[in-house]
Amino acid sequence: MIKRRHVLEWMILLAANAFAVLWILTSLSSHVALYYHLDDGHTDELILAYHCEAATRAVLVSWSVALTALGLIRSGVPLRRLLARPGYVVCFAVTLEAFVWLGLIILGFGFRIFYRLPSFWGEDIRALTLRESSTTAYLIMIWWTLLAFSRRWRPSRGWIDRAGRIIGVIWIVSIVLHLAVDYGFDVENDHRTMARQPAPSR
Amino acid sequence: MGQNRRLFKIQDGVIVVAACATVFACFQAIYPSLVSNFFRQRWTGVRLVHWLIDISDSAHVLSGCLMCVSFAVVLLRFVQPRPSLRRITAQPGFVACFAASIMGGVVILFVAARKVGRLLGGWNLNTSFWELTTPALSSLDSLGRMIVGVWIMLRLMRRPKPESDWVERIGQVVGVLWIVQWLLARGIQVVSMMSNRSLFDDGTY
């Protein structure tokens, strides 16, 4: 028998997936130049990696926010005990960060309107989420280390906590992807700078 | 605990002196040019804005200094006699410095990897140490926000148990300074946006 609570849970997950798809579609329609302060003409592999990174963020953030809501609705466990579960902590940290991003995006957007500056709000969102999202990975790493140090690492058997732990691991691994993409753009810029340099005079 | 109160010993002094020396090295590396620019110019509004944009470098210097002190506080906290790990991880000051140390450690590794990569690549671009470290230090700008996040989570777990220990006090001050640094860096970004210039432009005065 389908309960009302289950319908609500499925709706939350569906909304998270819809949001992730919307985010990815917006990301694919962007071009990289504004974020990296470049013209264009980068290699296809690098731009693909950039889009993969943005898509990963979109899925991880949407799922984390959904799982935070589900954890609060389903378990009935107080928040202070939920925060000792390593998987739930990941989702909670990402949700906390997502709210900060939302605030920053709204502030930035209002600022541009107030001062009548040219608006690249789509680019602003992508730049912000890419630039700031590595902080979330550090937050996850630090909180996991603190839980382990204080011997409060208490994973639960539920799928929410497991999914949260998987999201946490993917998030930490995605730092490497971020650094690699950043380094790739850096290397291509170096090559361009070298190509533009005049030949040494004799 | 009153009877376990930590006294200042010679080894603590050595750690503090080493941290201070690193902090002064950070200042020495970037401040001379900023100070001379300040006294050399005739001041107009636009120049003031440009100088403020230059000070964004000093926000990075501040983060460099705070990083040194954070490492020192973590080191001091682990020196015996110390409270149990369970108690330490409930202290907001230690947690803030620990967070800064982990993030700083990763950033230092990243800078070292880039430097090695450039050396191995054999690019003759005359990149200075500060050219490489500034983007890395700017990634530390959001560390203050992360400390706010960690403190909020500690609070929600009802765990923050600050001690009246001098190491913990220093840790708390450093945590607050990280948050100030974050606000400063963001404020400078806003100033640069108001002047409709990017922070990455190398404008002439």
Side-chain angles (χ1 to χ4, degrees):
Chain A
M1 189 177 169
I2 301 172
K3 290 180 183 173
R4 192 187 290 175
R5 203 183 68 180
H6 290 162
V7 175
L8 181 67
E9 287 170 10
W10 279 106
M11 278 172 72
I12 290 173
L13 285 177
L14 198 67
N17 285 323
F19 184 72
V21 170
L22 192 70
W23 190 340
I24 291 170
L25 286 177
T26 331
S27 172
L28 284 176
S29 65
S30 80
H31 73 107
V32 194
L34 279 170
Y35 174 59
Y36 283 100
H37 300 275
L38 306 169
D39 308 327
D40 50 5
H42 284 286
T43 48
D44 289 342
E45 293 83 7
L46 200 53
I47 290 177
L48 182 70
Y50 169 85
H51 286 313
C52 282
E53 192 193 346
T56 316
R57 304 274 188 233
V59 174
L60 293 183
V61 171
S62 318
W63 270 79
S64 303
V65 175
L67 291 181
T68 309
L70 284 181
L72 280 174
I73 292 169
R74 282 184 80 147
S75 60
V77 179
L79 188 61
R80 60 182 290 260
R81 284 182 60 195
L82 278 177
L83 288 179
R85 294 179 181 175
Y88 190 79
V89 148
V90 170
C91 302
F92 188 82
V94 176
T95 309
L96 208 64
E97 286 279 300
F99 274 109
V100 176
W101 295 347
L102 195 66
L104 287 175
I105 286 166
I106 291 170
L107 265 179
F109 197 41
F111 180 81
R112 281 185 189 277
I113 289 175
F114 189 76
Y115 284 99
R116 294 176 186 169
L117 293 172
S119 174
F120 303 113
W121 68 274
E123 282 302 325
D124 275 358
I125 292 173
R126 263 180 296 283
L128 189 98
T129 45
L130 275 178
R131 193 182 57 222
E132 309 282 343
S133 54
S134 50
T135 317
T136 315
Y138 290 116
L139 189 58
I140 293 166
M141 271 199 289
I142 287 155
W143 202 255
W144 278 3
T145 320
L146 288 175
L147 280 182
F149 268 3
S150 59
R151 291 173 197 160
R152 281 174 172 258
W153 184 278
R154 286 168 197 151
S156 76
R157 287 183 183 174
W159 69 270
I160 293 180
D161 193 54
R162 284 189 187 164
R165 272 176 273 159
I166 293 169
I167 288 175
V169 172
I170 296 174
W171 203 285
I172 290 170
V173 172
S174 77
I175 287 189
V176 180
L177 182 64
H178 177 71
L179 293 182
V181 170
D182 222 23
Y183 187 68
F185 278 107
D186 207 33
V187 168
E188 287 199 353
N189 274 343
D190 280 357
H191 282 297
R192 281 180 191 194
T193 316
M194 286 172 72
R196 275 202 296 268
Q197 275 175 355
S201 55
R202 292 178 183 175
Chain B
M1 292 290 181
Q3 65 272 25
N4 289 336
R5 182 163 289 184
R6 173 79 177 274
L7 297 173
F8 193 84
K9 293 180 182 172
I10 291 177
Q11 57 180 357
D12 299 337
V14 171
I15 293 171
V16 170
V17 167
C20 288
T22 330
V23 167
F24 286 134
C26 283
F27 267 99
Q28 180 73 21
I30 222 163
Y31 253 111
S33 64
L34 282 177
V35 174
S36 64
N37 278 348
F38 187 87
F39 289 112
R40 203 179 286 164
Q41 299 180 39
R42 282 179 58 209
W43 286 101
T44 59
V46 177
R47 280 189 179 163
L48 185 67
V49 168
H50 289 328
W51 192 79
L52 281 174
I53 292 169
D54 266 6
I55 286 209
S56 65
D57 285 339
S58 75
H60 298 149
V61 172
L62 180 60
S63 65
C65 300
L66 288 175
M67 187 53 68
C68 304
V69 183
S70 304
F71 278 129
V73 168
V74 172
L75 209 59
L76 286 170
R77 189 74 283 178
F78 279 114
V79 170
Q80 294 287 358
R82 62 167 171 78
S84 65
L85 276 178
R86 207 184 168 91
R87 283 176 67 92
I88 285 178
T89 50
Q91 295 176 356
F94 168 78
V95 166
C97 293
F98 185 70
S101 304
I102 286 195
M103 198 165 166
V106 174
V107 166
I108 287 169
L109 278 179
F110 173 57
V111 169
R114 275 198 164 188
K115 188 82 182 166
V116 170
R118 277 173 186 250
L119 284 175
L120 291 179
W123 299 314
N124 185 20
L125 290 169
N126 294 326
T127 47
S128 70
F129 180 70
W130 278 104
E131 256 176 88
L132 278 174
T133 45
T134 307
L137 285 177
S138 67
S139 72
L140 289 176
D141 282 351
S142 47
L143 209 154
R145 205 190 69 221
M146 193 176 72
I147 288 174
V148 173
V150 174
W151 280 358
I152 288 175
M153 283 164 81
L154 261 185
R155 185 81 196 161
L156 288 173
M157 280 185 89
R158 294 181 199 161
R159 285 203 70 211
K161 294 180 180 70
E163 294 192 18
S164 56
D165 195 355
W166 62 271
V167 182
E168 170 59 14
R169 288 272 164 83
I170 294 176
Q172 287 171 12
V173 171
V174 170
V176 172
L177 282 177
W178 272 117
I179 296 168
V180 170
Q181 191 273 339
W182 167 50
L183 294 175
L184 185 68
R186 287 286 171 268
I188 287 162
Q189 272 187 353
V190 169
V191 169
S192 73
M193 271 176 78
M194 279 170 74
S195 67
N196 209 359
R197 280 164 50 95
S198 166
L199 272 177
F200 299 95
D201 289 350
D202 46 347
T204 47
Y205 290 89

